[in-house]
Amino acid sequence: MIDNLVIPLLKILIVLNATLVGVTYMVLLERKVIAWAQSRLGPMRVGPYGILQPVADAIKLMIKEDITPVRADKWVFTAAPIISMVPALIVYAVIPFGDKARLFGRDITLYISDINVGLLYIVSVASVGVYGIILAGYSSNSKYPLLASLRASAQLISYEVAVTLTLVSVILVAGSLSMVQIVRAQESSHVWFLFVQPLAFAIFFIGGLAETNRAPFDMPEAEQELTGGFHTEYSGMRFALFFLAEYANMIVVSSVATTLFLGGWLRPFPNVAALGFLGFIPGWTWFLIKSFVFLYIFIWVRATLPRYRYDQLMRLGWKVLIPLAILNLVVTGIVKVLLL
Amino acid sequence: MGQAIAFYGLSFFILFFAVLVVSTKDTVHSVLFLVLDFLFVAALYVLLGAQFLAAIQVLVYAGGIVVLYLFVVMLVNLKRPPEAYEDPHRRTNLGFALAASVLLEVGAIATYGYASPAPALARASEVFPVSGNTEEVGWLLYTSYLIPFEIASMLLLVAMIGAIVLAKREL
């Protein structure tokens, strides 16, 4: 009873809340970091150094007027933000934040579930998220959101191919689809897959930027061309759901990259015994540190790089990343056969 | 017991959404009901212990093919052209004929399927040198079902080349 029901429910509760709090503070971090990059201070008014800004933002978004355009497709218009949000959150079910912890005399695994098809589950759930964007643009019955959503979905579908192909080469190296097993494979081979699959890592990261609609691929939200993007007609909490989904997806991409390429909860250089003194730091701390580095790079890239043009983005996706990913997969397969 | 309840619950939803798919007037809504239908079918696979198939069902059907349907419905079929006059009875008769043949088929499967049980499949764990849902599917595809698998991939390759040739007149 306790093992099957209470503990998983508690884990889900903790992970969901941590994600949502993390997302709101990601927004603050982003505003701060971009401000520093531009020699500004960023939010400073609400709380010391603007630390309470996310709370103020949340209250503002909740009490704003909730508008549905008259000519909108009401049911779909309401469902679209929910469809974006749900896949972004249920992905956390298979992400391993750590190995095992002893709490109150029980061995508790620091992941909600370890299923045999973990990575495939993440890919398939993420592929459903694209509906939120398409439907938001379509149901608004307005031309800019429709154009933005078409761009967004074309972008997502294109980059999904490259990202999934890189995942296949990681699966080949690890020999498993289970997220926990992939980390264990990195433990037993004494090397992070970042060093085994550097090309796959690069493609995954670029594809991750594109799949979360982040700069320099934030084409769907190009304000100058599209007056805001696929969520132009949304206001209040429904707009906030799209916003939360984007940041939740960023955390998902960071966590998946950490698990697949940076050894998940393992300490740095798990093969060097001289660094064994680092073992006192619990695994989930390493996981959070590594994910945070990724999230910081996401923001850093946004503050640094200008936006791609749409045709450049499509060319990069189809003519560079996908061929490279296929090449990487073939080479990985050949090396794997030769080594066996 | 619990499994039976889950099975009938899921089946009810699958049929319910399937009916909505064909009865809804708005084509976009009908495509969305199709997505829901596919998700419930995936749930049915999970219930049968086929997680790999469930993930593929969501990835390929719900997340891939139906997105294309949605594109086509949204962009191509925005305005329906006025239909040419057609004898309404002809369509009704065709519908009845199709429904009758499907019913006959289901009846035949239900009658003879139980009479001559399927050849007993060996337990997966006895045949395969591997464990795990994905590994077993892969093992089966590359041993017992290698030829159908290869034929299917050839078919897909031909379809892909055909699509490229159709889309691009000058290569």
Side-chain angles (χ1 to χ4, degrees):
Chain A
M1 179 67 187
I2 287 181
D3 281 322
N4 286 332
L5 206 65
V6 178
I7 292 178
L9 275 178
L10 276 177
K11 281 189 209 165
I12 292 170
L13 204 67
I14 292 169
V15 168
L16 282 187
N17 278 302
T19 308
L20 291 175
V21 171
V23 161
T24 50
Y25 272 89
M26 265 302 289
V27 179
L28 178 66
L29 183 76
E30 172 151 45
R31 290 174 67 180
K32 278 287 188 191
V33 171
I34 289 181
W36 293 332
Q38 297 166 347
S39 303
R40 293 185 286 116
L41 285 174
M44 288 295 278
R45 303 267 175 184
V46 192
Y49 295 95
I51 199 106
L52 293 177
Q53 186 69 37
V55 181
D57 283 346
I59 293 171
K60 183 194 82 174
L61 284 166
M62 271 187 249
I63 59 178
K64 260 189 158 181
E65 187 184 358
D66 186 27
I67 301 167
T68 308
V70 178
R71 300 287 300 275
D73 188 333
K74 287 202 180 49
W75 283 97
V76 181
F77 190 79
T78 312
I82 303 170
I83 298 174
S84 303
M85 192 70 205
V86 170
L89 289 180
I90 59 175
V91 165
Y92 293 100
V94 295
I95 289 175
F97 299 95
D99 196 4
K100 278 196 179 76
R102 254 193 110 63
L103 263 179
F104 307 118
R106 277 174 192 281
D107 274 330
I108 292 173
T109 51
L110 293 179
Y111 40 85
I112 294 171
S113 136
D114 173 30
I115 51 175
N116 185 261
V117 291
L119 198 50
L120 204 59
Y121 167 84
I122 292 179
V123 175
S124 58
V125 167
S127 75
V128 175
V130 68
Y131 282 106
I133 293 175
I134 305 181
L135 293 177
Y138 167 80
S139 63
S140 303
N141 206 348
S142 165
K143 54 177 169 281
Y144 289 119
L146 182 63
L147 284 173
S149 75
L150 289 179
R151 279 182 174 193
S153 33
Q155 178 179 327
L156 278 177
I157 293 168
S158 314
Y159 279 82
E160 207 176 297
V161 180
V163 167
T164 311
L165 281 170
T166 62
L167 296 184
V168 176
S169 35
V170 174
I171 295 164
L172 270 183
V173 178
S176 176
L177 279 169
S178 144
M179 299 293 272
V180 175
Q181 290 304 320
I182 290 172
V183 176
R184 292 212 195 291
Q186 296 180 65
E187 194 173 17
S188 59
S189 64
H190 300 299
V191 63
W192 289 357
F193 287 158
L194 168 63
F195 302 109
V196 185
Q197 291 279 347
L199 187 61
F201 174 71
I203 297 170
F204 179 85
F205 186 69
I206 296 171
L209 284 175
E211 286 214 56
T212 46
N213 293 330
R214 294 286 301 178
F217 305 106
D218 55 346
M219 201 59 52
E221 308 177 30
E223 288 91 351
Q224 297 88 339
E225 303 158 34
L226 294 168
T227 68
F230 59 85
H231 43 52
T232 304
E233 301 289 344
Y234 282 86
S235 65
M237 207 52 213
R238 295 195 219 179
F239 168 74
L241 278 183
F242 281 119
F243 214 67
L244 292 177
E246 183 185 325
Y247 282 85
N249 274 324
M250 277 165 66
I251 301 182
V252 167
V253 170
S254 310
S255 318
V256 173
T258 304
T259 310
L260 296 188
F261 295 102
L262 293 187
W265 67 79
L266 303 177
R267 69 181 163 83
F269 303 105
N271 52 337
V272 181
L275 285 170
F277 68 89
L278 288 172
F280 75 92
I281 299 173
W284 54 268
T285 318
W286 288 119
F287 186 90
L288 293 185
I289 292 172
K290 291 169 188 170
S291 305
F292 182 80
V293 169
F294 271 107
L295 290 171
Y296 188 85
I297 295 175
F298 267 98
I299 298 171
W300 188 9
V301 166
R302 176 170 170 194
T304 312
L305 296 178
R307 184 182 296 134
Y308 267 79
R309 222 171 50 218
Y310 190 62
D311 58 321
Q312 293 172 330
L313 176 133
M314 279 299 169
R315 198 187 312 141
L316 179 71
W318 286 98
K319 294 190 175 168
V320 180
L321 293 186
I322 293 179
L324 274 180
I326 293 175
L327 184 75
N328 189 51
L329 179 58
V330 171
V331 171
T332 308
I334 292 172
V335 170
K336 175 113 181 164
V337 169
L338 289 182
L339 285 182
L340 278 178
Chain B
M1 184 60 194
Q3 203 166 20
I5 293 172
F7 173 77
Y8 285 112
L10 289 174
S11 309
F12 169 77
F13 277 111
I14 290 169
L15 291 176
F16 178 69
F17 286 121
V19 168
L20 280 180
V21 169
V22 290
S23 63
T24 314
K25 282 224 174 92
D26 189 325
T27 20
V28 171
H29 290 181
S30 138
V31 170
L32 292 180
F33 286 127
L34 191 63
V35 178
L36 275 176
D37 211 32
F38 283 154
L39 293 181
F40 276 101
V41 172
L44 204 58
Y45 286 143
V46 173
L47 190 68
L48 293 171
Q51 292 97 345
F52 180 75
L53 210 55
I56 291 292
Q57 164 85 11
V58 174
L59 179 63
V60 174
Y61 287 96
I65 290 174
V66 182
V67 173
L68 291 182
Y69 281 11
L70 202 58
F71 268 113
V72 172
V73 167
M74 269 167 55
L75 298 177
V76 179
N77 196 16
L78 286 178
K79 290 238 161 43
R80 191 175 284 207
E83 282 175 32
Y85 177 73
E86 202 182 327
D87 182 12
H89 290 296
R90 218 184 110 210
R91 212 183 253 182
T92 322
N93 293 342
L94 193 67
F96 270 118
L98 278 175
S101 58
V102 170
L103 201 66
L104 209 67
E105 225 174 302
V106 172
I109 293 169
T111 319
Y112 296 108
Y114 287 115
S116 56
L121 292 170
R123 291 285 306 155
S125 50
E126 291 161 16
V127 179
F128 305 121
V130 290
S131 64
N133 205 281
T134 319
E135 289 85 344
E136 282 168 13
V137 171
W139 190 262
L140 260 182
L141 275 184
Y142 280 95
T143 53
S144 319
Y145 298 107
L146 181 63
I147 292 171
F149 179 65
E150 290 297 329
I151 291 173
S153 37
M154 275 308 287
L155 212 63
L156 285 176
L157 183 67
V158 169
M160 196 165 76
I161 294 171
I164 293 170
V165 169
L166 280 180
K168 214 168 181 160
R169 289 284 153 85
E170 300 156 26
L171 284 172

